[in-house]
Amino acid sequence: PATAPAGITPIASGDTLRVAIQISGSDIPAGDGWCDFDANLAASNTNCYSASRTKDIVQTATCNNCHGPTSDTKLALHGGGRTEVEYCVTCHNPFTTDAQTGNVLDFSVMIHKIHYGRNLANGYQISGFNNVVSDYSHVAFTKDVDHCAVCHTGSGADVHNWYMVPTMQACGACHDDVNFATGANHGSGGVQTTNGNCAVCHPPTGPFPPPGLAPQPIQTVHLGTARNAEGALYAGGANGYKIDSVSYASSSGVLTIDYHVTRNGSNMTLESAPQWACTSPPKAPAIAGCAGAAGSSRLAAVVGFPTSDYTNAGSGSNPAQPISVNALDVGGSVTALGGGLYRTTATLPSGTSGSAAVALEGHPAADLNGDGILSDRISVRSSVSFASLGTGRAAGVEPRRQVVDAAKCNGCHDAAGNGMSFHGNNRTGTEQVCVICHNANATDVNQRPAPPTTGVDGKAEVPIDLKRMIHQIHSGADLHDPLIVYGFGHSVNDFSHIHYIGNRRNCETCHRPGTYGTEHAFDALPTTVDTEADKASSTDDLNISPVASVCSSCHDSEAAITHMKLFGASFHALDADIN
């Protein structure tokens, strides 16, 4: 109408409007629809999707890379009925606030704050339906949070607004310690009352600036752009880590590993390339750029065995951890073969049989902000190769079951464009490297304080078996017994706040088809929950039977565990006593 209630600006001819509709209820598939048009006050408005003004920045399909990676799951909020970004923004507009907390609910502010949660100076909470408070202050984004193009991508007409049209609202959502009204923490930008000057100091791109000085180019100072560009030099074609051959001499028990690393089409000289100089401790003589960057460079050859289901028995790294060789120790345990090719060896325990896996893992260093310090770790996809301990070659390898599709993991988890990356950017891109350490006999006992009552959960150890731990992590907030894992340097990793953003009932969100039924777990090893006195041997370990280990990782209530026991599951039993 051309007239409107008092205080509301009337619609004028040519104003761009959106009409949106939602359908949902019971088991009806939810869906949203919308129509954008320029208002015509003289005739019927019948021409949908004809609006002259647009704001098409983020695509729902991009959100669903994480929130709905399978055909029957998708972004679905507020009871499941709101499934499209175009519908979300009709309510989450610049004039929407939370009545209880006073926090802004504008989409461009709210979404940035939610995904940046634990990095915020002031946290972020929303009081929703029935005044239920949702606290996003613990949220950790599972991709490079400073790589804005992770979300701002696709075919939207305004997809480049994130760097072409900076605003106090969008930028201040993450940089929430900046007070534009007073100029606090805004460097030389000082007080700003409108968005008119933003692009003057924050152009789309340009050289990296000195700290606190303008201009601050948006794509440059968000290091995710540079990180992904550097990561791409180790990916694609023949680039990255490559294990050329693995051979085994049964007479000596020596496994010989040949390998190389290629960056941007050229084999790297590991003993002199600056990307590999910032080891811990640093190489001598120190290469310029490594001062203050010790540990930014690491490359290791990790050997696990047997490949049917890793136990790493006799490795000397207990409980159940693999053999690890410093692949940068050229002139020591590593021999340079020339042309950027290298060889190292590992001696397997006497009596080891079956087949072994070798993983090349680690991270080169980089200087992403141009400060002359190689302090940035670049995630590079791990390489995994196998050798039979009978034939001495790849022939005859007994493969470990493959139940997870790493490509599905990488849809949600990514670093430097090379996929999921954990443990300080060391293990990247493939689940095959994860299971070598996260096997059925492994726990976090070595990282726990002693006595265990000094730990935050009072436990002596917790299983880190992948088939159990990953389910527990993704079920975090729904568990009766919260999962706390002690990691490197005795760090405490509390997963009790994790809310999985997909559909946990759809196992194929992560799993390969036909690999996750109970019948597929009978051949798996039981999960160690107590390594007992002899950490080098699994014979005295107390375990959970393999099927129950998986099921109880999500269904961990007393009633659920009692049900499992009634049907033959074992908890805290010796391996020899498990059927």
Side-chain angles (χ1 to χ4, degrees):
T3 59
I8 303 297
T9 303
I11 295 171
S13 181
D15 282 354
T16 298
L17 306 179
R18 171 170 294 169
V19 173
I21 191 170
Q22 165 191 337
I23 183 171
S24 62
S26 187
D27 59 350
I28 300 173
D32 301 335
W34 64 93
C35 169
D36 294 348
F37 60 96
D38 291 345
N40 183 344
L41 302 186
S44 297
N45 293 275
T46 59
N47 191 8
C48 278
Y49 316 114
S50 62
S52 60
R53 288 176 288 274
T54 65
K55 196 176 182 182
D56 189 7
I57 295 177
V58 173
Q59 306 301 300
T60 302
T62 303
C63 303
N64 285 339
N65 284 335
C66 281
H67 289 275
T70 61
S71 59
D72 66 333
T73 62
K74 57 186 176 182
L75 186 73
L77 302 171
H78 299 296
R82 289 97 196 242
T83 63
E84 304 287 338
V85 167
E86 289 80 0
Y87 193 80
C88 299
V89 297
T90 57
C91 289
H92 290 283
N93 58 65
F95 303 97
T96 314
T97 58
D98 177 10
Q100 277 70 37
T101 65
N103 284 329
V104 176
L105 299 182
D106 178 23
F107 201 72
S108 65
V109 174
M110 179 185 71
I111 297 302
H112 284 104
K113 284 188 176 293
I114 288 175
H115 290 80
Y116 203 60
R118 74 173 182 180
N119 303 106
L120 295 173
N122 301 308
Y124 189 65
Q125 299 83 29
I126 296 175
S127 183
F129 186 68
N130 283 336
N131 294 320
V132 174
V133 176
S134 298
D135 188 349
Y136 299 99
S137 305
H138 297 291
V139 171
F141 192 53
T142 55
K143 296 187 177 184
D144 290 328
V145 75
D146 57 354
H147 186 44
C148 303
V150 167
C151 297
H152 294 276
T153 188
S155 59
D158 309 296
V159 67
H160 301 304
N161 273 21
W162 70 271
Y163 63 86
M164 296 295 295
V165 188
T167 67
M168 292 186 291
Q169 291 76 24
C171 299
C174 290
H175 303 284
D176 67 330
D177 60 337
V178 175
N179 188 320
F180 296 102
T182 66
N185 297 319
H186 195 212
S188 58
V191 174
Q192 297 294 326
T193 58
T194 73
N195 293 321
N197 294 322
C198 294
V200 175
C201 292
H202 302 286
T205 190
F208 208 98
L213 298 180
Q216 294 268 329
I218 297 172
Q219 292 188 78
T220 305
V221 297
H222 289 88
L223 294 180
T225 301
R227 186 181 300 107
N228 274 250
E230 182 68 16
L233 299 179
Y234 294 91
N239 291 310
Y241 303 155
K242 175 63 175 177
I243 299 174
D244 300 302
S245 67
V246 181
S247 59
Y248 180 69
S250 57
S251 59
S252 62
V254 173
L255 198 69
T256 301
I257 307 154
D258 290 353
Y259 61 96
H260 69 275
V261 178
T262 306
R263 179 181 183 271
N264 200 24
S266 299
N267 286 2
M268 303 186 76
T269 306
L270 300 180
E271 60 267 40
S272 60
Q275 291 89 348
W276 297 107
C278 303
T279 54
S280 181
K283 292 180 179 179
I287 291 180
C290 290
S296 296
S297 306
R298 179 182 177 272
L299 188 65
V302 176
V303 181
F305 48 89
T307 56
S308 56
D309 212 339
Y310 298 104
T311 63
N312 304 320
S315 67
S317 182
N318 304 317
Q321 293 304 288
I323 297 169
S324 182
V325 180
N326 181 0
L328 296 176
D329 186 23
V330 180
S333 60
V334 175
T335 301
L337 303 178
L341 305 179
Y342 298 89
R343 174 173 292 167
T344 191
T345 61
T347 302
L348 299 186
S350 175
T352 304
S353 61
S355 48
V358 177
L360 205 59
E361 46 137 86
H363 47 80
D367 175 14
L368 299 182
N369 63 2
D371 64 358
I373 302 174
L374 292 158
S375 57
D376 302 289
R377 299 180 174 191
I378 303 301
S379 297
V380 178
R381 182 182 174 91
S382 302
S383 177
V384 183
S385 191
F386 306 92
S388 168
L389 304 183
T391 66
R393 301 180 302 279
V397 170
E398 183 179 0
R400 185 190 184 277
R401 65 193 183 282
Q402 288 190 300
V403 298
V404 171
D405 185 345
K408 295 179 179 180
C409 304
N410 293 337
C412 255
H413 297 271
D414 182 72
N418 287 322
M420 56 181 171
S421 190
F422 302 104
H423 302 294
N425 306 84
N426 282 302
R427 290 109 206 193
T428 300
T430 172
E431 85 287 356
Q432 290 191 61
V433 69
C434 301
V435 294
I436 295 175
C437 294
H438 289 280
N439 58 66
N441 292 340
T443 75
D444 67 350
V445 64
N446 289 340
Q447 297 299 335
R448 289 252 164 186
T453 52
T454 62
V456 296
D457 58 358
K459 295 180 180 179
E461 54 193 309
V462 162
I464 57 172
D465 181 9
L466 202 71
K467 67 177 180 285
R468 181 173 177 83
M469 183 186 71
I470 293 301
H471 286 99
Q472 287 182 305
I473 289 174
H474 289 78
S475 296
D478 298 304
L479 295 176
H480 287 76
D481 184 16
L483 175 64
I484 295 174
V485 177
Y486 276 75
F488 183 73
H490 310 296
S491 60
V492 177
N493 301 279
D494 186 348
F495 299 101
S496 61
H497 61 276
I498 297 292
H499 290 269
Y500 183 55
I501 56 176
N503 181 359
R504 285 190 301 131
R505 293 171 294 181
N506 185 346
C507 299
E508 289 185 24
T509 299
C510 303
H511 282 274
R512 298 170 184 264
T515 64
Y516 49 86
T518 54
E519 69 275 12
H520 297 105
F522 285 120
D523 293 331
L525 294 176
T527 297
T528 295
V529 294
D530 189 337
T531 52
E532 290 292 313
D534 188 353
K535 300 293 187 289
S537 172
S538 62
T539 58
D540 65 341
D541 291 356
L542 297 180
N543 309 275
I544 305 175
S545 49
V547 175
S549 173
V550 176
C551 295
S552 64
S553 61
C554 294
H555 306 284
D556 69 331
S557 68
E558 184 177 348
I561 291 173
T562 298
H563 165 83
M564 295 175 207
K565 289 179 178 178
L566 287 173
F567 284 87
S570 298
F571 289 79
H572 289 81
L574 293 173
D575 193 354
D577 295 331
I578 295 176
N579 294 324

